[in-house]
Amino acid sequence: MTTDHWSPLLDIPPFPAERYAITAARLGAILHTRNDIAIVQAEAVVALEAAATSIIRPGMKAINIVTSPYGSWFGNWMRLSGGEVIDVTASPARAIELDAVAETIETHPDATVLSLVHAESASGIGNPLAEIIHLARKRGLLTIVDAVASIGGHHLDVDTLGIDIAVIGPQKALAGPAGLSALSISPAAWDLIGRPGGPRNSILSLSDLKPWIDGGYGAPAGTAVPLEWHALHAALDRLEREGLDGVIARHQLAACATRAGLTAMGVSCWTDDRTNSNLVTTTELPPDIPVEVLLAEAIRLGQPLAAGVGPGAERLIRFTHTGQQARFDTVMALISTYGRSLEGLGHDVDIGSACSAVLDCYAA
Ligand SMILES: *Cc1c(COP(=O)(O)O)cnc(C)c1O
């Protein structure tokens, strides 16, 4: 017999057909949009590649803001589709400067598309999204935003800003499963996607999802992934109980408390008030400490820390307070662990003041 092994993860009941439309509407509410919501049965990098591939045609010009490896990948996917991609690259691991964006838009009036990442979990920076979208729309550029990390940690008002495509995944600040992702798609974006020459019968084809959306979202074409859909439903239940504003405020508080803790310790933060993200806080490690040594010291204390990812972020230490980690005990553990690790490696830091500063933020 094969029935002697029971697991809650096996023999999953189907996701009820009427719930697909409800799930799409709930994601639309989180994005503050009335645009169509396409849901991709794959992790968010697939949705990002699908957006690049479905929009770009040979010869199209795109302005691509690069503030992390994700931005580089997005530019490369647009190039693979034949696009002429103008990268606007920030200083390593820094947010993009608005002037650089404005200048590139002026220099390339024939561009059709502008793409960027909203907030970066790789380095803890946040880009000036509203200002950039404003610049892009003044020039009639179609805008594509990677909001995978930021959604749930930052306000994202797709319709007020006028974002044509926003790509999100549930696995970061929304604290949901990683196996589904979603895009909001404006009518102008659908017009570009619908031109001949785009991918069809492909996981990268947004056109393939249009009949499903237009038909009111019955069961998706192909095989559904019920475990992921049930998990997304549960994550949205939990999020709605707390309220989106509450979830965002919890991320803001965690970020604020982390920065206050580091500052009180005598350590400076990598970002300033203009470029903070609410998902991850970063600081540059003192030059005499090898990254591996610091990380090993933290593991010895039982609270792992992480290094930054991508060019310029190698010597950043990341304090991740995203999703269910945006909470008091995580922040306190991260800050005290970093302080104790620095102290153990011969640096004079004020751990007591750091912990008091975190407490003060949460007590306020
Ligand atoms: C996490 C993330 C993604 C999705 O990538 P995975 O690492 O595969 O989860 C895409 N863009 C950004 C900005 C992200 O932070």
Side-chain angles (χ1 to χ4, degrees), residues 43-46 48 68 70-71 73 117-122 146-150 167 169 171-172 178 279:
E43 197 267 335
V45 286
V46 179
L48 287 163
S68 74
Y70 290 112
W73 295 348
V117 174
H118 183 192
E120 299 281 10
S121 47
D146 173 349
V148 177
S150 66
V167 183
Q171 73 267 38
K172 302 274 173 74
L279 317 158

Side-chain angles (χ1 to χ4, degrees), residues 332 351-361:
M332 193 59 115
I351 299 174
S353 294
C355 293
S356 290
V358 172
L359 275 169
D360 288 345
C361 289

